């Protein structure tokens, strides 16, 4: 019997930051290592999704390759055949299935997508692309081509998973059993755990999450930042007027964010420490500068170690993994696409 499929990925536009690393990359790598004995893990690089919002296209190819390098530096076992690492655009069935599915999805359904409304509100009308509008259908194709049952989703992606389920059920009802319907959001959270990692906040505005779209870069620590640059960002992080370290996300969001960051980088630096232990160690400390210095030191150590591992990643090894996975991905995706093409009358 074929093993069930887990599918996930991280967009390849702009520079990855520590929020991406600790909130997505590391949990994905850990999940892949733990689950590959029982599941096929499709870890894809969604490069077609990368320019649904404006980007620098001159940097896209390098960003795609860097995503793969970061996974390797984070510990992804490239020699595990149950873990597939592939580029979305190298499997043409993603695009072809999207064109077909577009004809079975309503304009109103897409217009109601919260992510589309939020992202399009930040752009001028002439920069809101059809690709951004159609993003959920391409995401549905990403999932349905591989009969994926489990897809780790954050709160901002739950609508997209539900529309994927709706599309699969709609097509199955009309044409027979074309697609495996992925599990609903509640079962996804049960499978992966609802709390899939701490969500790092912006250093200058801890009310919002750390984001690649931050134009100043002052509140974001990128994986490519020199340790001394990251140190300065930590030392200038927003705090409060309370004057004592406490873990209180409502009253002291900046300090709380630094406590979470310190826990994560200590763990990455090889220390078996929990958030509670970090909180207990520093609660009541009155000198924010002393506390920030500790966080900055640990962050500098993490970045130096990570960047050393990243520099050792062999691009030929990465390319071999991508190319072998893309052969496997094309075989599976093309089987699904042909089944759909026959169902809708495009093939006999």
């Amino acid at each position: 019997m074929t093993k069930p499929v887990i599918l996930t990925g991280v967009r390849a536009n702009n520079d990855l930051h520590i929020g991406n690393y600790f909130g997505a990359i590391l949990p994905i790598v850990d999940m892949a290592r733990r689950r590959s004995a029982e599941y096929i893990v499709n870890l894809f690089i969604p490069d077609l999704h990368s320019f649904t919002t404006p980007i620098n296209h001159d940097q896209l190819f390098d960003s795609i390759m860097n995503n793969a390098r970061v996974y390797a530096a984070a510990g992804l076992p490239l020699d595990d055949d149950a873990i597939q690492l592939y580029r979305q655009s190298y499997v043409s069935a993603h695009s072809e299935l999207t064109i077909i599915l577009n004809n079975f999805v309503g304009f109103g359904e897409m217009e109601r997508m919260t992510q589309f409304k939020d992202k399009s509100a930040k752009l001028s009308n002439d920069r809101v692309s059809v690709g951004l509008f159609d993003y959920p259908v391409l995401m549905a194709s990403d999932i349905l081509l591989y009969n994926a049952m489990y897809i780790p989703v954050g709160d901002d992606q739950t609508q997209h998973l539900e529309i994927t389920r709706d599309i699969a059920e709609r097509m199955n009802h009309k044409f027979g059993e074309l697609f495996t319907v992925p599990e609903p959001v509640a079962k996804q959270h049960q499978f992966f755990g609802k709390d899939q990692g701490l969500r790092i906040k912006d250093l200058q505005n801890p009310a919002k999450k750390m984001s690649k779209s931050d134009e100043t870069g002052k509140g974001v620590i990128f994986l490519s930042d020199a340790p001394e640059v990251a140190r300065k960002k930590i030392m200038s992080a927003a705090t409060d007027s309370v004057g004592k370290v406490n873990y209180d996300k409502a009253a002291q969001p900046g300090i709380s964010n630094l406590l979470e960051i310190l826990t994560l980088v200590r763990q990455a630096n090889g220390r078996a420490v929990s958030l509670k232990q970090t909180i207990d160690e520093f609660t009541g400390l009155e000198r924010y500068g002393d506390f920030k210095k500790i966080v900055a030191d640990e962050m500098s150590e993490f970045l130096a170690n990570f960047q050393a591992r990243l520099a050792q990643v062999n691009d030929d090894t990465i390319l071999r993994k991508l190319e072998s996975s893309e052969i496997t991905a094309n075989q599976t995706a093309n089987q699904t696409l042909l089944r759909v093409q026959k169902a809708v009358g495009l093939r006999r």
Side-chain angles (χ1 to χ4, degrees), residues 100-308:
I100 294 173
L101 294 183
N102 278 340
N103 296 280
F104 299 92
V105 180
F107 181 89
E109 289 178 296
M110 293 296 95
E111 199 173 32
R112 290 191 292 272
M113 292 291 106
T114 301
Q115 280 281 291
F116 171 72
K117 289 188 284 188
D118 289 349
K119 290 185 177 182
S120 61
K122 299 174 184 177
L123 301 169
S124 58
N125 286 336
D126 62 335
R127 302 197 81 189
V128 179
S129 68
V130 175
L132 178 61
F133 186 74
D134 200 31
Y135 184 109
V137 184
L138 178 55
M139 180 173 167
S141 297
D142 299 335
I143 295 168
L144 298 177
L145 282 169
Y146 303 97
N147 306 305
M149 291 289 291
Y150 297 104
I151 305 95
V153 287
D155 292 338
D156 58 345
Q157 293 288 333
T158 56
Q159 270 191 314
H160 294 170
L161 179 61
E162 290 304 332
I163 195 67
T164 297
R165 286 173 44 79
D166 290 344
I167 292 169
E169 290 171 347
R170 183 178 307 159
M171 296 294 285
N172 288 352
H173 179 74
K174 186 174 181 67
F175 296 107
E177 294 301 311
L178 291 179
F179 297 120
T180 297
V181 181
E183 295 287 7
V185 170
K187 288 193 176 180
Q188 301 290 349
H189 288 161
Q190 184 180 1
F191 182 78
F192 292 107
K194 177 65 175 74
D195 182 9
Q196 294 170 26
L198 298 172
R199 295 294 179 259
I200 293 177
K201 303 296 185 180
D202 187 279
L203 295 174
Q204 294 297 316
N205 182 6
K208 68 176 186 178
K209 71 178 182 179
M210 194 172 282
S211 172
K212 289 183 282 190
S213 61
D214 176 27
E215 293 181 358
T216 69
K218 293 180 180 178
V220 182
I221 296 177
F222 294 100
L223 294 177
S224 60
D225 278 347
E228 283 306 310
V229 171
R231 177 184 295 277
K232 291 177 181 177
K233 291 180 180 181
I234 293 287
M235 295 306 296
S236 63
T239 52
D240 53 65
S241 59
V242 175
K244 287 186 178 181
V245 173
N246 291 289
Y247 187 72
D248 186 331
K249 288 190 171 186
Q252 294 181 261
I255 288 294
S256 299
N257 188 40
L258 290 175
L259 285 165
E260 292 183 350
I261 290 172
L262 178 57
T263 301
L264 292 168
V265 293
R266 279 182 163 181
Q267 291 170 348
N269 290 338
R271 295 183 59 178
V273 61
S274 67
L275 176 59
K276 182 180 183 304
Q277 288 171 320
T278 303
I279 293 169
D280 289 345
E281 182 179 350
F282 292 100
T283 294
L285 181 67
E286 295 183 358
R287 297 173 64 90
Y288 285 172
D290 291 345
F291 174 59
K292 285 183 174 181
K293 184 178 184 303
I294 292 169
V295 181
D297 287 344
E298 293 276 2
M299 179 60 69
S300 297
E301 181 183 347
F302 160 71
L303 284 175
N305 291 338
F306 173 78
Q307 290 167 8

Side-chain angles (χ1 to χ4, degrees), residues 7-10 42-46 49 71 84 86 88 94 142:
L7 183 140
T8 189
V10 176
N42 277 16
L43 176 50
F44 78 114
I45 300 172
H49 288 296
Y71 281 118
Q84 301 297 322
Y86 58 94
Q88 181 188 35
H94 289 251
D142 299 335

